[in-house]
Amino acid sequence: MSGYIARVRPLAILNLCRGATAVCPLMRLCGAIVTAIHNLRQYWAKGVFNRHYYAIADDIVDTKLTDSFDLITCISVLEHIPRADAAVRNIARLLAPNGHVILTFPYTEDQYYPNVYSLPGSAYGRDFPFQCQSFSRQQLTSWANDCGLEIVEQEF
């Protein structure tokens, strides 16, 4: 990710956090102004304190943000948002012209799974208070078409 950030040189980054990670300070070292948001109380009753970087309590599905960002990152978060389509619409709305989005999530080319934790044989996550979606080509195509986004790079 830092290589991509160095290549596109964003001035302002929005990071949708998933908890107490050091991703934001690493992005800040690339020279950008980083805003971080999270909606952790939805999943963790006591919240999570990120000792690495301050994150604003906000929900991307119903965000209060109005600024635009040159780069928006959503690393291992989108799959846990029940209204992922609304989240992607708001990501696109907050994106500056010629901006970039980096999304990571579970992916299955031909099949959408609403919750991989509940699949037969799943040995992980059954008791979690949140879902883990695996998106498919259909969702990517829909997001691109509905939100005016273009898939520039895709890694598996």
Side-chain angles (χ1 to χ4, degrees):
M1 181 168 56
S2 62
Y4 193 82
I5 292 172
R7 190 169 20 139
V8 301
R9 298 185 193 181
L11 296 177
I13 297 175
L14 173 63
N15 180 44
L16 281 64
C17 296
R18 65 175 184 81
T21 68
V23 170
C24 290
L26 292 174
M27 288 190 285
R28 180 68 185 103
L29 287 173
C30 292
I33 297 168
V34 179
T35 301
I37 65 171
H38 67 74
N39 187 22
L40 292 174
R41 289 203 187 280
Q42 180 178 352
Y43 306 110
W44 312 111
K46 295 180 182 179
V48 173
F49 175 70
N50 187 334
R51 62 185 169 87
H52 302 287
Y53 204 83
Y54 174 73
I56 300 166
D58 191 39
D59 182 353
I60 192 62
V61 170
D62 188 28
T63 183
K64 307 300 183 258
L65 295 177
T66 57
D67 294 337
S68 61
F69 300 89
D70 303 305
L71 175 66
I72 300 176
T73 61
C74 184
I75 311 301
S76 299
V77 173
L78 194 60
E79 64 267 26
H80 303 298
I81 299 175
R83 295 178 50 217
D85 293 346
V88 173
R89 278 193 301 275
N90 279 329
I91 288 170
R93 181 180 60 80
L94 294 171
L95 194 62
N98 299 313
H100 299 261
V101 178
I102 298 174
L103 303 173
T104 68
F105 46 76
Y107 181 80
T108 311
E109 179 68 25
D110 298 322
Q111 178 70 41
Y112 166 76
Y113 294 98
N115 188 4
V116 296
Y117 296 148
S118 65
L119 291 174
S122 176
Y124 181 80
R126 288 190 182 274
D127 297 327
F128 286 174
F130 49 83
Q131 71 190 62
C132 182
Q133 301 169 84
S134 179
F135 300 108
S136 70
R137 178 65 52 193
Q138 181 179 353
Q139 283 76 42
L140 268 65
T141 301
S142 176
W143 296 336
N145 292 340
D146 294 348
C147 301
L149 300 171
E150 176 186 0
I151 300 172
V152 176
E153 292 181 33
Q154 187 171 343
E155 292 182 20
F156 297 94

